[in-house]
Amino acid sequence: MRLHNRNVRQDVRELGALLGDVLEDQTSRRAFETVESCRRTAIEYRSGDLESREPLIAELEGLSPHQQRIVARAFTTYFELINLAEERERVRTIRTASQEGTLEDSLETAAAELGEADVETVRQVLDDVLIEPTFTAHPTEARRKTVKSKLREISTSLETVDERLLTDKEEGQVWRDVDAEVTSLWQTPQVRNRQPEPEDEARNVQWYLENTLFDVVGEVYDELADAIDEEVPGSLEIPKLFEFRSWAGSDRDGNPYVTPEVTANTLERQRSVVLEQYRDQLKRLSGVLSQDGSRIDAGSAFQASLEEDRERLPGTARTAEERYPDEPYRQKLKLMRERLRRVGDVRPGGYETVEGLRNDLAVIAESLRDNGAESVVDAHVDPIRRRVATFGFSLASLDLRDHQQKHTDAIAEALEAEGIDYHGLSEDERVEFLTDAVLQDEPVIDLERTTDLSDDAARVLDLFDRLAAWQTEYGSNAIDTYCISMTEEPSHVLEVLFLADQAGVVSLPEHSGIDIVPLLETEYALSGARRIMGTLFENEAYAQALEARGRTQEIMLGYSDSNKENGFLAANWSLYKNQRRLGEICDDHDVTMRLFHGRGGSISRGGGPMNEALLALPNSTVTGQVKFTEQGEAIAEKYANPRIAERNIEQMLNAQLRARKQALDQPEEEVPEEWVDAMETMADAARREYRDLLESDGFVRYFEQATPITVIEDLDLGSRPASRSGERTVEDLRAIPWVFSWTQSRCILPGWYALATGIDAYADDGGSMETLQEMYEEWPFFRTTLDNAALSLSRTELEIAERYAEMADDDLRERFFPRVTDEYARASELITEIGQREQLHTRDWLGENLERRNPYVDPLNMLQVYLLDRTHRTDIEERTLRLTVKGIAAGMKNTG
């Protein structure tokens, strides 16, 4: 059976040719020939026909500023189109493997593994698993929303010509549409002319939830149900397995533009979107449920539910009866749609909670089953029920987040009016004070009295005051988590509990309306995990709050700042160890742990294949519940195309189901002491080398001169400032621009630096290559760590990085660049030897991808270096420089 009409080479060739035609039409024959000449020269060097890149460099530098801008635009647009071709190839691979029954990490393979266990174990695994992808607004996609919309249209056209049988005339019409979109894309500004606002970022996240995930999730549930039925005896109900969350519009850490008004607008917009989706779904369901009431017995439960709605909405009930006489299901659905329309309305009769809608759908499903319409329930009712269970009335629940210092300072200012010197208290005294304040009935501070407070303190108190109102208006599930950045003491968590208590969101011991989530990201915090969490679990006030939340504690781990502070290898080992330690602490206090992995898109910020990451977690930490961030371009890559989105969710679910079963079978992962000692030796040496590099005199100046960090800081990539205080230090710089800058210069140092130093230190200490090879073969953590480093090494191009290094002062370049290249060469050699393979990476597609892309990224890099090195740039040169950043990001498929 032939599934597709095309292949990736054909797509790349024809899209490239079409772009060439548009380029010539929109500019000139000379401009087209200039771009072609740059392209050919880059390819000739890569293929070995030229000895150096000097001809390419000379050609680029000899162009006028206007011509340079055309070249930058041409290659940037090329990558936008080629990314679509590769996305289409991913879809082909998925569909072909699915048809042939060879799809790895499928729900069928997960069900087969579960089928080896008894039914009760399978039921427990399903009940335990809850996966919570959490979309963040940093970094915002480098692409403008307008550009993204045009690319989606082209993607749809590629799907049409690839998967449908078309006449020549029909195919010609499709390519005419593609031509029009590419022409429009060329004429559209690639670079934003303003910084995106937080509500823009929230709408961006909402787009993926509304247009892709809302439909895809139901299909994943259906596939799992079928697979479980096939492998597991009996009839198992598939519970809720996914919940989507978002920081967009609610993450205040370092972003003064995320105001309470932004959060309120996000909550309202998301509710409106999801309610409209449900109304549309029920309208379509009404077209299916046309059963004649005189020929069926709808049942007493259904009839009672229908009568209750008639009493609530008598006017709508009369209309429904007139429109649908003797069609009870349609009458019910008409009333349900009206109840949805009145959610949040001043008119009575609307659903007060999502449970009301879920109950109505359950009543309909039960009635249909009693009338022999099981297939109708499976095909039409259950998918809606699963969407309602997943998306609720909020589409995605919002997490609040802010820096711990903001809470400390706000409380100190508020308490100063009460005669209390909070700043002067020791940590133990703060814990005691906050505990007593939460447990007493009378409030300590008035959250509305902010006149004499600083702006920052007033914003904190206003937020908590508004939180109570939001939970009343939208339901506590819509905004029920508060994450605390840079948590380092128990008091940092108790401060949020205190503020929530003062707001009435917490009323102990009966009620706690929020999960308070410490974000452990510094070495001090991670190594002090038992001190922090043990103190909280044994604290009288916090213990009551935890009890009210079902004794589940969410703990967030910061991959980005941990890596920036300690380096790749040391950060990965620290995170692994501390996950196990946190699992032990929670077990000691009979608390269920939910780890929240603060992963970025790049390898150095915790990125990499999610399913592999989930399977590499220590068994003792796999409780079934897991949460992780999805950021920047990674969101578009994973969730823009419905089939790829479905595949990503399927892989996540496959991994988590298998990991949970494995954790039940073997609660404690048996890691040989020899391996642990080896990792300790490697990590300690790697950390020292990494810190020595960062702390070397002149390194920050080298970083500033040898990467485009100064340009990246001025790009309108997101609403959040690039640094925390405006200081030029590695510590103050946010992890995203830190990684983005190295990625642009093709020296992806944060993803591998000091790895070789660590491994060599282990060898010098008496370690053996055989042991390392054994660790790689048998230990998922070690294998995943090295494979991820290999991906970063594979994407590193030191010849190009050297061009950037040449912009640095001679003494800085001579001190730092050889140090980096030596580390790269040794790491590449060691990884191939440990993995016992000839090439760095293990993925064939990556080699093809790099071979296809590298010649086209090269001109953008060379042009960027030329423009960066100019002392004074004209306005057009400045715009071209910014465009090269976008183009390289598209070519590397990463902003950091």
Side-chain angles (χ1 to χ4, degrees), residues 568-569 572-573 576 603 607 609 611-617 658 662 669 675 679 682 755 771-791 831 834-837 840-843:
F568 175 77
L569 185 63
N572 274 276
W573 178 237
Y576 179 86
I603 296 296
N611 56 313
E612 293 178 12
L614 292 173
L615 286 167
L617 295 175
R658 292 167 57 205
Q662 182 176 302
E669 185 180 22
W675 297 0
M679 280 306 309
M682 288 187 279
L755 175 69
T771 299
L772 292 172
Q773 290 171 342
E774 184 183 1
M775 290 165 64
Y776 181 85
E777 284 293 321
E778 300 181 18
W779 193 9
F781 159 75
F782 189 65
R783 181 170 59 254
T784 300
T785 300
L786 260 60
D787 284 350
N788 282 340
L791 291 175
I831 285 180
I834 292 169
Q836 301 180 74
R837 54 183 186 254
L840 270 172
H841 57 82
T842 60
R843 295 165 171 83

Side-chain angles (χ1 to χ4, degrees), residues 825-837:
R826 183 67 178 140
S828 301
E829 178 186 331
L830 286 167
I831 285 180
T832 53
E833 186 175 1
I834 292 169
Q836 301 180 74
R837 54 183 186 254

Side-chain angles (χ1 to χ4, degrees), residues 112 296 346 707 712 734 817:
I296 64 168
V346 294
T707 76
I712 286 168
R734 295 193 183 282
F817 191 67

Side-chain angles (χ1 to χ4, degrees), residues 292-313:
D292 185 344
S294 65
R295 298 174 59 191
I296 64 168
D297 179 6
S300 59
F302 176 87
Q303 205 60 45
S305 176
L306 180 59
E307 289 301 325
E308 288 174 6
D309 279 354
R310 286 171 173 165
E311 292 176 12
R312 287 189 186 96
L313 304 168

Side-chain angles (χ1 to χ4, degrees), residues 276-342:
E276 183 177 354
Q277 288 277 10
Y278 293 149
R279 291 199 298 272
D280 290 345
Q281 296 268 316
L282 295 184
K283 180 70 173 176
R284 286 194 286 271
L285 183 60
S286 183
V288 174
L289 302 188
S290 54
Q291 283 83 349
D292 185 344
S294 65
R295 298 174 59 191
I296 64 168
D297 179 6
S300 59
F302 176 87
Q303 205 60 45
S305 176
L306 180 59
E307 289 301 325
E308 288 174 6
D309 279 354
R310 286 171 173 165
E311 292 176 12
R312 287 189 186 96
L313 304 168
T316 304
R318 285 192 294 272
T319 302
E321 289 178 52
E322 292 169 2
R323 184 174 300 176
Y324 307 118
D326 294 324
E327 294 179 296
Y329 295 133
R330 284 180 162 177
Q331 291 180 27
K332 175 66 177 175
L333 290 168
K334 172 72 173 174
L335 290 160
M336 289 168 66
R337 295 203 304 275
E338 181 61 27
R339 293 192 69 189
L340 284 169
R341 189 171 283 107
R342 296 190 183 197

Side-chain angles (χ1 to χ4, degrees), residues 470-507:
W470 290 333
Q471 291 200 344
T472 300
E473 171 69 16
Y474 300 101
S476 60
N477 290 338
I479 184 164
D480 63 350
T481 298
Y482 200 110
C483 186
I484 309 163
S485 298
M486 288 293 171
T487 300
E488 295 193 327
E489 303 292 348
S491 64
H492 297 157
V493 177
L494 292 175
E495 285 167 353
V496 171
L497 181 64
F498 167 75
L499 290 167
D501 173 73
Q502 301 302 292
V505 174
V506 169
S507 179

Side-chain angles (χ1 to χ4, degrees), residues 427 430-431 434-435 484 487-498 508 516-520 528-547 551 553-555 582 585-586 589 591:
E427 171 62 20
R430 289 184 184 184
V431 168
L434 294 166
T435 303
I484 309 163
T487 300
E488 295 193 327
E489 303 292 348
S491 64
H492 297 157
V493 177
L494 292 175
E495 285 167 353
V496 171
L497 181 64
F498 167 75
L508 300 179
I516 304 176
V517 182
L519 169 47
L520 309 180
R530 184 168 289 277
R531 170 180 55 83
I532 297 169
M533 301 312 303
T535 299
L536 290 169
F537 293 155
E538 293 168 9
N539 178 272
E540 184 180 359
Y542 195 79
Q544 289 185 20
L546 194 61
E547 194 69 38
R551 297 195 65 75
Q553 175 66 56
E554 185 173 308
I555 303 170
L582 288 166
I585 296 166
C586 289
H589 292 84
V591 171

Side-chain angles (χ1 to χ4, degrees), residues 209-210 213-215 217-218 221 240 242-244 270-286 332-343 351 353-358 361 364 380-397:
L209 291 161
E210 178 184 1
L213 289 167
F214 190 83
D215 292 325
V217 165
Y221 275 109
K240 174 182 173 179
F242 283 96
E243 180 178 295
F244 295 94
Q270 289 189 171
R271 182 173 70 176
S272 297
V273 164
V274 79
L275 291 177
E276 183 177 354
Q277 288 277 10
Y278 293 149
R279 291 199 298 272
D280 290 345
Q281 296 268 316
L282 295 184
K283 180 70 173 176
R284 286 194 286 271
L285 183 60
S286 183
K332 175 66 177 175
L333 290 168
K334 172 72 173 174
L335 290 160
M336 289 168 66
R337 295 203 304 275
E338 181 61 27
R339 293 192 69 189
L340 284 169
R341 189 171 283 107
R342 296 190 183 197
V343 172
Y351 286 109
T353 66
V354 72
E355 281 68 30
L357 176 59
R358 293 178 67 178
L361 288 167
I364 291 173
H380 299 287
V381 182
D382 279 351
I384 302 175
R385 295 173 67 189
R386 286 165 180 157
R387 290 184 181 101
V388 173
T390 302
F391 297 100
F393 280 172
S394 56
L395 189 63
S397 300

